[in-house]
mmCIF file of all heavy atoms in Angstrom:
data_model
loop_
_atom_site.group_PDB
_atom_site.id
_atom_site.type_symbol
_atom_site.label_atom_id
_atom_site.label_comp_id
_atom_site.label_asym_id
_atom_site.label_seq_id
_atom_site.Cartn_x
_atom_site.Cartn_y
_atom_site.Cartn_z
ATOM 1 N N ARG A 386 2.976 -14.079 40.725
ATOM 2 C CA ARG A 386 2.509 -15.378 41.208
ATOM 3 C C ARG A 386 1.013 -15.384 41.552
ATOM 4 O O ARG A 386 0.408 -16.451 41.646
ATOM 5 C CB ARG A 386 3.306 -15.789 42.453
ATOM 6 C CG ARG A 386 4.623 -16.497 42.149
ATOM 7 C CD ARG A 386 5.468 -16.617 43.409
ATOM 8 N NE ARG A 386 4.704 -17.064 44.563
ATOM 9 C CZ ARG A 386 4.586 -18.352 44.944
ATOM 10 N NH1 ARG A 386 5.174 -19.298 44.242
ATOM 11 N NH2 ARG A 386 3.896 -18.668 46.026
ATOM 12 N N GLU A 387 0.445 -14.216 41.731
ATOM 13 C CA GLU A 387 -0.984 -14.157 42.050
ATOM 14 C C GLU A 387 -1.832 -14.712 40.914
ATOM 15 O O GLU A 387 -2.934 -15.233 41.151
ATOM 16 C CB GLU A 387 -1.394 -12.714 42.339
ATOM 17 C CG GLU A 387 -0.777 -12.146 43.620
ATOM 18 C CD GLU A 387 -1.114 -10.674 43.791
ATOM 19 O OE1 GLU A 387 -1.872 -10.122 42.948
ATOM 20 O OE2 GLU A 387 -0.613 -10.058 44.757
ATOM 21 N N PHE A 388 -1.318 -14.611 39.670
ATOM 22 C CA PHE A 388 -2.130 -15.060 38.537
ATOM 23 C C PHE A 388 -1.344 -15.883 37.518
ATOM 24 O O PHE A 388 -1.900 -16.299 36.495
ATOM 25 C CB PHE A 388 -2.756 -13.848 37.828
ATOM 26 C CG PHE A 388 -1.757 -12.916 37.193
ATOM 27 C CD1 PHE A 388 -1.409 -13.049 35.858
ATOM 28 C CD2 PHE A 388 -1.171 -11.896 37.934
ATOM 29 C CE1 PHE A 388 -0.494 -12.195 35.269
ATOM 30 C CE2 PHE A 388 -0.247 -11.033 37.355
ATOM 31 C CZ PHE A 388 0.087 -11.177 36.014
ATOM 32 N N ALA A 389 -0.051 -16.148 37.777
ATOM 33 C CA ALA A 389 0.771 -16.847 36.782
ATOM 34 C C ALA A 389 1.679 -17.880 37.451
ATOM 35 O O ALA A 389 2.117 -17.703 38.592
ATOM 36 C CB ALA A 389 1.627 -15.837 36.011
ATOM 37 N N ASP A 390 1.955 -18.950 36.717
ATOM 38 C CA ASP A 390 3.048 -19.841 37.089
ATOM 39 C C ASP A 390 4.344 -19.144 36.682
ATOM 40 O O ASP A 390 4.432 -18.593 35.578
ATOM 41 C CB ASP A 390 2.916 -21.180 36.379
ATOM 42 C CG ASP A 390 1.710 -21.980 36.856
ATOM 43 O OD1 ASP A 390 1.443 -21.975 38.078
ATOM 44 O OD2 ASP A 390 1.035 -22.606 36.018
ATOM 45 N N VAL A 391 5.349 -19.173 37.531
ATOM 46 C CA VAL A 391 6.591 -18.452 37.286
ATOM 47 C C VAL A 391 7.750 -19.440 37.282
ATOM 48 O O VAL A 391 7.954 -20.162 38.265
ATOM 49 C CB VAL A 391 6.830 -17.357 38.350
ATOM 50 C CG1 VAL A 391 8.104 -16.581 38.035
ATOM 51 C CG2 VAL A 391 5.634 -16.409 38.421
ATOM 52 N N VAL A 392 8.483 -19.498 36.179
ATOM 53 C CA VAL A 392 9.619 -20.410 36.065
ATOM 54 C C VAL A 392 10.873 -19.632 35.692
ATOM 55 O O VAL A 392 10.801 -18.561 35.080
ATOM 56 C CB VAL A 392 9.362 -21.529 35.020
ATOM 57 C CG1 VAL A 392 8.090 -22.284 35.335
ATOM 58 C CG2 VAL A 392 9.300 -20.959 33.605
ATOM 59 N N VAL A 393 12.013 -20.173 36.075
ATOM 60 C CA VAL A 393 13.297 -19.611 35.659
ATOM 61 C C VAL A 393 13.761 -20.363 34.419
ATOM 62 O O VAL A 393 13.786 -21.599 34.405
ATOM 63 C CB VAL A 393 14.355 -19.733 36.769
ATOM 64 C CG1 VAL A 393 15.722 -19.278 36.257
ATOM 65 C CG2 VAL A 393 13.946 -18.903 37.979
ATOM 66 N N VAL A 394 14.096 -19.622 33.370
ATOM 67 C CA VAL A 394 14.631 -20.194 32.135
ATOM 68 C C VAL A 394 15.974 -19.512 31.896
ATOM 69 O O VAL A 394 16.028 -18.321 31.600
ATOM 70 C CB VAL A 394 13.670 -19.959 30.954
ATOM 71 C CG1 VAL A 394 14.340 -20.304 29.640
ATOM 72 C CG2 VAL A 394 12.389 -20.773 31.135
ATOM 73 N N SER A 395 17.059 -20.277 32.021
ATOM 74 C CA SER A 395 18.385 -19.665 32.059
ATOM 75 C C SER A 395 19.415 -20.488 31.304
ATOM 76 O O SER A 395 19.270 -21.703 31.151
ATOM 77 C CB SER A 395 18.824 -19.519 33.525
ATOM 78 O OG SER A 395 20.156 -19.102 33.627
ATOM 79 N N ALA A 396 20.482 -19.816 30.860
ATOM 80 C CA ALA A 396 21.619 -20.497 30.237
ATOM 81 C C ALA A 396 22.699 -20.832 31.257
ATOM 82 O O ALA A 396 23.773 -21.288 30.902
ATOM 83 C CB ALA A 396 22.205 -19.628 29.130
ATOM 84 N N THR A 397 22.414 -20.612 32.535
ATOM 85 C CA THR A 397 23.343 -20.944 33.605
ATOM 86 C C THR A 397 23.239 -22.429 33.940
ATOM 87 O O THR A 397 22.135 -22.982 33.936
ATOM 88 C CB THR A 397 23.013 -20.098 34.854
ATOM 89 O OG1 THR A 397 23.168 -18.718 34.535
ATOM 90 C CG2 THR A 397 23.913 -20.453 36.024
ATOM 91 N N PRO A 398 24.353 -23.106 34.257
ATOM 92 C CA PRO A 398 24.275 -24.504 34.669
ATOM 93 C C PRO A 398 23.330 -24.685 35.863
ATOM 94 O O PRO A 398 23.282 -23.851 36.768
ATOM 95 C CB PRO A 398 25.715 -24.848 35.051
ATOM 96 C CG PRO A 398 26.546 -23.924 34.222
ATOM 97 C CD PRO A 398 25.756 -22.646 34.144
ATOM 98 N N HIS A 399 22.590 -25.787 35.860
ATOM 99 C CA HIS A 399 21.515 -26.007 36.821
ATOM 100 C C HIS A 399 21.981 -25.918 38.274
ATOM 101 O O HIS A 399 21.347 -25.269 39.103
ATOM 102 C CB HIS A 399 20.868 -27.373 36.553
ATOM 103 C CG HIS A 399 19.747 -27.694 37.495
ATOM 104 N ND1 HIS A 399 19.916 -28.479 38.615
ATOM 105 C CD2 HIS A 399 18.445 -27.312 37.493
ATOM 106 C CE1 HIS A 399 18.764 -28.574 39.254
ATOM 107 N NE2 HIS A 399 17.857 -27.886 38.606
ATOM 108 N N ASP A 400 23.087 -26.569 38.592
ATOM 109 C CA ASP A 400 23.537 -26.598 39.983
ATOM 110 C C ASP A 400 23.852 -25.201 40.506
ATOM 111 O O ASP A 400 23.479 -24.847 41.636
ATOM 112 C CB ASP A 400 24.764 -27.506 40.132
ATOM 113 C CG ASP A 400 24.416 -28.972 39.971
ATOM 114 O OD1 ASP A 400 23.210 -29.304 39.977
ATOM 115 O OD2 ASP A 400 25.344 -29.797 39.833
ATOM 116 N N SER A 401 24.541 -24.409 39.688
ATOM 117 C CA SER A 401 24.851 -23.031 40.088
ATOM 118 C C SER A 401 23.573 -22.221 40.249
ATOM 119 O O SER A 401 23.423 -21.434 41.196
ATOM 120 C CB SER A 401 25.751 -22.365 39.047
ATOM 121 O OG SER A 401 27.000 -22.995 38.967
ATOM 122 N N LEU A 402 22.656 -22.435 39.335
ATOM 123 C CA LEU A 402 21.389 -21.706 39.325
ATOM 124 C C LEU A 402 20.601 -21.967 40.606
ATOM 125 O O LEU A 402 20.162 -21.033 41.293
ATOM 126 C CB LEU A 402 20.588 -22.149 38.097
ATOM 127 C CG LEU A 402 19.357 -21.378 37.680
ATOM 128 C CD1 LEU A 402 19.698 -19.924 37.434
ATOM 129 C CD2 LEU A 402 18.764 -22.009 36.426
ATOM 130 N N VAL A 403 20.431 -23.231 40.931
ATOM 131 C CA VAL A 403 19.666 -23.588 42.128
ATOM 132 C C VAL A 403 20.367 -23.081 43.387
ATOM 133 O O VAL A 403 19.724 -22.552 44.298
ATOM 134 C CB VAL A 403 19.451 -25.115 42.195
ATOM 135 C CG1 VAL A 403 18.843 -25.515 43.535
ATOM 136 C CG2 VAL A 403 18.557 -25.581 41.051
ATOM 137 N N ARG A 404 21.687 -23.220 43.434
ATOM 138 C CA ARG A 404 22.438 -22.756 44.605
ATOM 139 C C ARG A 404 22.251 -21.259 44.822
ATOM 140 O O ARG A 404 21.981 -20.811 45.946
ATOM 141 C CB ARG A 404 23.919 -23.081 44.419
ATOM 142 C CG ARG A 404 24.783 -22.669 45.616
ATOM 143 C CD ARG A 404 26.238 -23.068 45.443
ATOM 144 N NE ARG A 404 26.899 -22.361 44.357
ATOM 145 C CZ ARG A 404 27.300 -22.921 43.227
ATOM 146 N NH1 ARG A 404 27.110 -24.220 43.015
ATOM 147 N NH2 ARG A 404 27.901 -22.207 42.285
ATOM 148 N N GLU A 405 22.376 -20.478 43.763
ATOM 149 C CA GLU A 405 22.301 -19.029 43.905
ATOM 150 C C GLU A 405 20.883 -18.559 44.210
ATOM 151 O O GLU A 405 20.679 -17.654 45.032
ATOM 152 C CB GLU A 405 22.832 -18.360 42.634
ATOM 153 C CG GLU A 405 24.335 -18.569 42.454
ATOM 154 C CD GLU A 405 24.839 -18.121 41.092
ATOM 155 O OE1 GLU A 405 24.146 -17.307 40.441
ATOM 156 O OE2 GLU A 405 25.923 -18.571 40.677
ATOM 157 N N LEU A 406 19.885 -19.173 43.575
ATOM 158 C CA LEU A 406 18.493 -18.770 43.815
ATOM 159 C C LEU A 406 18.018 -19.201 45.198
ATOM 160 O O LEU A 406 17.229 -18.510 45.839
ATOM 161 C CB LEU A 406 17.586 -19.354 42.735
ATOM 162 C CG LEU A 406 17.773 -18.779 41.330
ATOM 163 C CD1 LEU A 406 16.972 -19.572 40.314
ATOM 164 C CD2 LEU A 406 17.357 -17.310 41.287
#
Side-chain angles (χ1 to χ4, degrees):
R386 275 169 45 93
E387 293 175 3
F388 64 94
D390 292 320
V391 182
V392 305
V393 174
V394 169
S395 172
T397 298
H399 180 263
D400 289 348
S401 296
L402 192 57
V403 172
R404 182 177 66 249
E405 292 170 21
L406 292 172

